[in-house]
Amino acid sequence: MQSHQKKTVKTNFKPGNMLYPLPAVMVSVGDINGNSNILTVAWTGTVCTNPPMVYISVRPERYSYKMLRDSGEFVINLTTKSLTRATDYCGVRSGRDVDKWKECGLTPVAADAVRCPMIEESPVNIECRVTEVKELGSHHMFLAEVIAVHVDEAYLDEKGSFHLNDTGLLAYSHGTYLGLGETLGTFGYSVRKKKKKKKR
């Protein structure tokens, strides 16, 4: 029997960064003189669970690069729907020219273990210490260990569980900022045994 299903036609596209969606995060950096800046990064992700490690990749010509390289510290601040404009602004404007904290109405707050400030308006702040820098080409990758995590208590329930997906997280895909949508499943749902209904 012949299948009438339409065949998908694929085009061999040029090699490039097509791994989407990604988190669009605001990274805060600082130096020993108390100067700080915010840069938006989409080239970021989890590297290891134990020890907890992440990475960010940054172009050497960016204003924040020297602070990042000299200090060996940074904070990843997760972004939300309400922070969309600030997220974009901190990615297209340079700290050489503007005070991004002031222009975006963001509040710097002291971190526990690193010298660079955290963004108060972010629901999650991840303090990071660089362990290795890989100079890969257009971007240098900063591998870092997570040394502290701060979460907004507004999203903690009475049992102390943190409801991250209620914060309105932002994603970045092929030049577009997207809000996370409906829940399609939870980890392991495809193999989870269905609970049998008890007979009354």
Side-chain angles (χ1 to χ4, degrees):
M1 186 176 178
Q2 288 185 339
S3 173
H4 296 287
Q5 186 176 357
K6 187 178 178 181
K7 185 179 179 182
T8 302
V9 179
K10 299 278 187 174
T11 296
N12 191 336
F13 213 57
K14 63 181 180 180
N17 300 108
M18 197 60 83
L19 180 60
Y20 292 111
L22 297 164
V25 301
M26 290 190 285
V27 175
S28 43
V29 297
D31 63 20
I32 59 173
N33 298 317
N35 300 309
S36 65
N37 191 45
I38 308 166
L39 70 156
T40 297
V41 171
W43 291 180
T44 183
T46 298
V47 177
C48 185
T49 301
N50 187 22
M53 294 189 71
V54 294
Y55 82 92
I56 60 171
S57 289
V58 180
R59 291 181 181 271
E61 58 267 27
R62 294 193 73 166
Y63 175 68
S64 296
Y65 180 87
K66 188 175 188 307
M67 287 188 198
L68 182 57
R69 192 81 191 231
D70 290 348
S71 70
E73 298 174 340
F74 60 91
V75 177
I76 292 177
N77 305 276
L78 298 193
T79 56
T80 61
K81 183 178 178 181
S82 62
L83 292 170
T84 305
R85 182 188 176 278
T87 302
D88 185 64
Y89 188 92
C90 291
V92 297
R93 287 287 182 262
S94 173
R96 294 185 183 93
D97 308 317
V98 295
D99 181 342
K100 296 182 189 179
W101 296 97
K102 182 179 178 181
E103 293 298 321
C104 294
L106 299 174
T107 310
V109 292
D112 286 349
V114 299
R115 286 171 292 187
C116 37
M118 307 185 299
I119 299 174
E120 183 177 8
E121 290 76 11
S122 170
V124 179
N125 316 97
I126 306 168
E127 297 186 48
C128 305
R129 186 162 291 139
V130 177
T131 59
E132 186 180 353
V133 180
K134 290 184 173 290
E135 299 183 5
L136 299 174
S138 63
H139 290 68
H140 292 181
M141 183 171 68
F142 292 80
L143 287 168
E145 187 167 354
V146 174
I147 52 177
V149 175
H150 305 262
V151 300
D152 187 338
E153 292 184 358
Y155 300 98
L156 287 173
D157 64 23
E158 63 279 358
K159 295 180 180 179
S161 296
F162 181 57
H163 296 269
L164 177 61
N165 292 332
D166 292 341
T167 63
L169 290 171
L170 201 63
Y172 179 79
S173 182
H174 210 208
T176 302
Y177 302 102
L178 303 167
L180 295 189
E182 63 179 313
T183 299
L184 302 177
T186 56
F187 181 74
Y189 86 99
S190 63
V191 296
R192 193 175 296 126
K193 292 181 179 179
K194 292 181 180 179
K195 291 182 180 179
K196 292 182 180 179
K197 291 183 180 179
K198 292 182 179 180
K199 293 182 180 180
R200 293 181 179 180

